[in-house]
Amino acid sequence: MSAAGSLLAAVPAAAVLLLTVAAMPREAGAVAPLRLAVVRAALLSGAYAVLVVEVLGASHALTRQAFAVAWLLFLIAAATAAGLRWRRATHLGQPPAAAPVPVSAAPAVSTASRTVPVGAVVSDGGTDVAAPVAERDEPAPAPPRALRGPAGLLAVAVDAWRTARPGERLLAGTVGGLVLVELLVALLAEPNNFDSQTYHLPKVEHWVAQGDLDFWPTAIHRQVTIPPGAEYLLLHLRLLTGGDNLYNLVQWAAGVVCLLVAARITAQLGGGRRAQLLTAFVLATTPMVVLQATSTQTDLICAAWVACAATLVLDGLRRRTGWGTLLGLGAATGLTAVTKTSGLIAVGPLLVLWGLAQLRLARTDQSAAASPAPIDPAAGEGRRSWPVGGLARTVGGSVLILVVAAVVVGPFLARVTAEFGHPLGPPRLRESIPMERHDPASIVVNALRIGHTAFDTPLAPLRRAGAEVIISGAEAIGVDPQDRAITFGRELFPEPAWYPDEDRVAFPLAGALAVIGAVIALARPRRIAPERAGSLRAYAVVVLTAVLLHTAMIKWQPWGNRLLLYAVVLAVPLAGLWLDALLRNRAGGRRTVATVAAVTVLATSALAGVLALSYGFPRRLVGAGSVFTTSDWETRFLRRPQWADEFRWAATAVQDSGARRIGLVQQNDNWEYPWWLLLRQPDGGSPDLVALQSVLPERPPADTSSVDAIVCTGTRAACAKLVPAGWRLEFRGYVGYALPPGR
């Protein structure tokens, strides 16, 4: 990466930081305001990044210069907004945001040194508490140190560390250490995820080569049919830096957002500092999170957008939602849809919860109004009519959310519909992943298989016993456990999933803790959140609904655990709240037992996270394939080491022949990305790669007579069918090439 590329890559990061300052909440009683500002900045930046790609793509202007201008304009706008926000706060002598006021800093009868309306909500170290009945009219507080610049942030961090208990310091230190080491791995390792080699990264290269977002002939339908939101973000880095050196940072940043938002959700549900740290700890040590945080997969990005939607919805449970939050909910919905449509399985129930809460608040506001609502004579004395204004506002807000979401995801869906006649793509996509049977027995079997894979452990006897029970039970109720209508592709259940592999590793500890937390939240919510029992139960119902919908809509597959990552992020706050209650609500010997059990589980979770980071696949710190001892090219091929030399051999032969236009022969799950790296022009420009096969009916493949050479992956027989007569065909294992006579 050049120096110019490094400077350009820093522009989006600087813009997001400035936007975070500008997005600090002004409303009183905002829970964890800095984290809320991060959510707002992430959603605005993500939506802007997607729209920039769509606008420039429609203009056939996907170039480095255009993207640099777009981000410089965004940086100027963010700096201006941050400056105005800061100046306004300074002139008014008030903080840019409502700062948390610890309850310990005020008498029992006063919650803050400002006017507090009856029943208002104030913050208690990240936790909402109800204001006392009486109002107090006192001067506004001075700006908190956290909002007075980097020095203020550092001072607050030092103060928090000083006042933290040893256990809290250990939790925070572990989370921080994991995040920093993951950053190191993300920077050192080249992209080597299997799906990324097949379709995630080739998408980006096709866009760069074309200069637009038009579909292209390809044998790999996922290059054009799978939502491209994550790849849109990678495209920015590709054009700004000229390469893929920083690609892993997108998922790493998404992982950080997931940690921050999960901790904020815990605070919104009544958890104090320890509960928030426990939530972050459990999530940060989950092997799937650890491994994907250094990857070019897309699941953490999807989980981050879903989590942003969840935390904004929880804000709407206790106060009427403003226009800014409505735009944020729309952006979160659209970004989820354009990244991974499975995330909508959770966003849908969350939005339903938001709508019901807003209607309830509208009715409550009417009942609390000074003037009584009109009496409906036909309804009887004392019965009030429905608040029409509140209903209209909720409906209008819902429409706005859908409109914003449509603006973000609509252009992609329009292209897919125009190409395949359906917004969800061709039949092969609509039938491969979604469940094709929805009878209760099939759904139960699918749910049991998904649960078996998600909770897998290294204990092989336990895995076999569980699988045998599920298979026998399925046959007893008349369901084939390998039925293609409920099973992806040709895969066979069961499949071991305990090994720390980024695509399939199980999460038994985080999952078990989340299940226990959800059960307690549903049955005895006051035990873990006395002042947020209603919100906690409602949130647990939404999480449970999302999981049940997932098992009813998505087929079992060996790598299905990563598809559940959004649900794990949503569910872990329930685990953090329960663990905190377990440590808080026991007395005497029972407290000792509970503490020992909790510490044991947390230590095991920490060990799992550290081992995943140290020995996980395909990026690890130590052992064979370490990011410190493995060359760049070999790192890219850790999934298939035998292919590394084969690709180089074929690419060298084609380049030595002087070929300009190169035909591509491959099957649906073959690696295409190495060709884009190896056959790049001497000046760094994209190679002229054209597909000789196409699964898109309206996009015919290139004619073999129009190419100077052919490169192939897969089998020799499949390649030979497309090689013109008289051409020389060479093949080594997985890779081959063909050249015309005289070359």
Side-chain angles (χ1 to χ4, degrees):
M1 182 171 60
S2 65
S6 301
L7 290 175
L8 288 176
V11 172
V16 172
L17 290 176
L18 289 169
L19 194 59
T20 301
V21 174
M24 290 295 290
R26 300 179 184 180
E27 59 269 21
V31 180
L34 181 57
R35 277 171 271 171
L36 176 56
V38 170
V39 169
R40 293 173 172 176
L43 290 174
L44 181 56
S45 301
Y48 179 78
V50 169
L51 293 177
V52 164
V53 172
E54 291 290 358
V55 171
L56 294 180
S59 305
H60 304 282
L62 296 180
T63 65
R64 185 181 195 182
Q65 293 78 7
F67 274 68
V69 169
W71 278 109
L72 287 172
L73 291 175
F74 191 70
L75 176 64
I76 293 171
T80 302
L84 292 175
R85 186 81 171 88
W86 192 270
R87 183 178 302 174
R88 182 176 182 276
T90 303
H91 286 173
L92 294 178
Q94 296 177 347
V101 181
V103 170
S104 58
V109 296
S110 175
T111 59
S113 55
R114 60 176 179 268
T115 299
V116 181
V118 177
V121 177
V122 297
S123 179
D124 173 21
T127 306
D128 287 348
V129 296
V133 174
E135 292 188 356
R136 297 184 62 86
D137 191 4
E138 299 180 12
R145 285 179 296 174
L147 302 175
R148 295 177 182 171
L153 285 172
L154 180 60
V156 169
V158 170
D159 184 64
W161 183 265
R162 181 181 57 81
T163 58
R165 298 173 182 176
E168 294 173 343
R169 293 181 181 179
L170 182 60
L171 293 172
T174 302
V175 172
L178 286 172
V179 169
L180 290 176
V181 177
E182 288 163 7
L183 174 60
L184 177 65
V185 175
L187 290 171
L188 291 178
E190 279 65 38
N192 60 0
N193 171 262
F194 193 102
D195 284 348
S196 296
Q197 308 287 348
T198 300
Y199 67 97
H200 289 310
L201 304 189
K203 279 186 190 181
V204 178
E205 295 302 323
H206 278 286
W207 294 332
V208 173
Q210 296 176 172
D212 58 39
L213 300 175
D214 290 346
F215 291 161
W216 53 88
T218 178
I220 304 173
H221 77 88
R222 291 175 293 174
Q223 291 183 359
V224 297
T225 57
I226 298 293
E231 291 86 345
Y232 281 175
L233 303 181
L234 297 180
L235 176 61
H236 287 265
L237 292 176
R238 169 67 174 86
L239 288 172
L240 292 177
T241 67
D244 60 11
N245 304 77
L246 302 181
Y247 277 7
N248 293 331
L249 292 185
V250 176
Q251 280 257 112
W252 177 83
V256 173
V257 170
C258 286
L259 293 177
L260 295 174
V261 178
R264 183 172 193 265
I265 290 173
T266 305
Q268 291 172 291
L269 295 175
R273 181 166 63 184
R274 183 174 63 184
Q276 296 171 49
L277 287 172
L278 286 167
T279 295
F281 181 89
V282 172
L283 186 59
T285 55
T286 300
M288 179 66 77
V289 175
V290 171
L291 293 169
Q292 286 228 6
T294 62
S295 172
T296 48
Q297 264 294 7
T298 62
D299 305 286
L300 264 181
I301 300 172
C302 174
W305 301 137
V306 173
C308 288
T311 195
L312 294 181
V313 165
L314 287 177
D315 280 339
L317 298 188
R318 300 184 63 82
R319 61 165 61 95
R320 300 302 298 276
T321 300
W323 295 110
T325 301
L326 289 173
L327 295 174
L329 284 170
T333 303
L335 288 168
T336 301
V338 81
T339 300
K340 212 175 191 70
T341 51
S342 57
L344 295 177
I345 295 173
V347 173
L350 284 167
L351 293 179
V352 170
L353 175 62
W354 170 84
L356 294 175
Q358 292 295 293
L359 290 174
R360 178 185 61 82
L361 288 171
R363 192 150 194 170
T364 301
D365 290 347
Q366 186 196 45
S367 300
S371 58
I375 304 297
D376 183 2
E381 180 67 19
R383 184 173 178 180
R384 301 182 187 276
S385 62
W386 187 265
V388 177
L391 177 61
R393 178 174 175 176
T394 302
V395 172
S398 301
V399 172
L400 178 60
I401 291 171
L402 295 178
V403 168
V404 174
V407 170
V408 175
V409 71
F412 168 70
L413 293 181
R415 289 194 298 274
V416 173
T417 303
E419 190 74 29
F420 301 105
H422 195 287
L424 297 182
R428 64 183 301 175
L429 177 63
R430 303 198 303 271
E431 297 169 0
S432 61
I433 298 177
M435 287 274 285
E436 297 177 78
R437 289 181 57 178
H438 297 92
D439 55 286
S442 296
I443 292 174
V444 168
V445 171
N446 193 54
L448 291 174
R449 295 183 305 165
I450 289 175
H452 180 274
T453 304
F455 289 88
D456 191 23
T457 69
L459 304 176
L462 181 62
R463 181 189 313 116
R464 287 194 297 268
E468 290 172 1
V469 169
I470 293 172
I471 291 172
S472 300
E475 294 171 346
I477 60 177
V479 177
D480 179 4
Q482 314 298 349
D483 186 355
R484 296 303 101 188
I486 61 174
T487 306
F488 180 84
R490 301 178 181 178
E491 306 301 325
L492 296 177
F493 174 82
E495 183 74 21
W498 65 269
Y499 184 78
D501 183 300
E502 66 174 353
D503 286 335
R504 64 179 65 196
V505 62
F507 33 82
L509 286 175
L513 292 173
V515 168
I516 295 172
V519 170
I520 301 298
L522 290 170
R524 303 284 297 276
R526 293 189 180 280
R527 290 185 58 182
I528 55 180
E531 297 181 0
R532 290 288 178 273
S535 299
L536 177 61
R537 178 176 283 165
Y539 182 77
V541 168
V542 168
V543 173
L544 178 62
T545 300
V547 173
L548 293 178
L549 287 175
H550 185 101
T551 59
M553 297 173 67
I554 306 296
K555 293 178 180 178
W556 175 87
Q557 50 189 283
W559 43 89
N561 288 340
R562 65 182 181 82
L563 302 183
L564 272 170
L565 192 53
Y566 72 90
V568 173
V569 173
L570 291 184
V572 164
L574 302 175
L577 288 165
W578 175 71
L579 284 171
D580 182 61
L582 186 69
L583 297 173
R584 183 182 67 240
N585 294 337
R586 296 291 185 264
R590 295 178 63 188
R591 179 181 178 87
T592 301
V593 173
T595 301
V596 171
V599 170
T600 301
V601 170
L602 293 174
T604 306
S605 182
L607 179 62
V610 170
L611 289 177
L613 188 57
S614 301
Y615 296 98
F617 196 73
R619 291 166 303 282
R620 56 176 50 169
L621 290 174
V622 297
S626 166
V627 294
F628 296 114
T629 60
T630 309
S631 70
D632 296 353
W633 189 248
E634 290 173 338
T635 298
R636 296 180 184 275
F637 286 85
L638 283 175
R639 286 283 186 190
R640 298 292 187 271
Q642 67 275 19
W643 295 349
D645 290 338
E646 294 178 8
F647 269 98
R648 270 187 166 166
W649 160 76
T652 300
V654 169
Q655 286 178 320
D656 290 345
S657 72
R660 296 290 184 180
R661 185 174 170 86
I662 302 165
L664 189 61
V665 178
Q666 57 193 356
Q667 287 77 59
N668 185 55
D669 205 31
N670 289 174
W671 285 20
E672 180 182 315
Y673 186 58
W675 298 126
W676 291 97
L677 298 175
L678 290 168
L679 299 174
R680 191 167 290 180
Q681 300 294 335
D683 61 356
S686 298
D688 188 5
L689 274 175
V690 294
L692 300 182
Q693 310 140 287
S694 179
V695 294
L696 278 66
E698 304 299 323
R699 308 279 174 172
D703 192 286
T704 54
S705 63
S706 68
V707 300
D708 305 321
I710 296 174
V711 292
C712 309
T713 51
T715 65
R716 182 187 182 99
C719 185
K721 292 179 182 179
L722 293 171
V723 173
W727 283 40
R728 175 169 57 93
L729 174 61
E730 301 286 344
F731 225 90
R732 285 187 184 177
Y734 177 75
V735 178
Y737 69 90
L739 295 173
R743 284 187 180 269

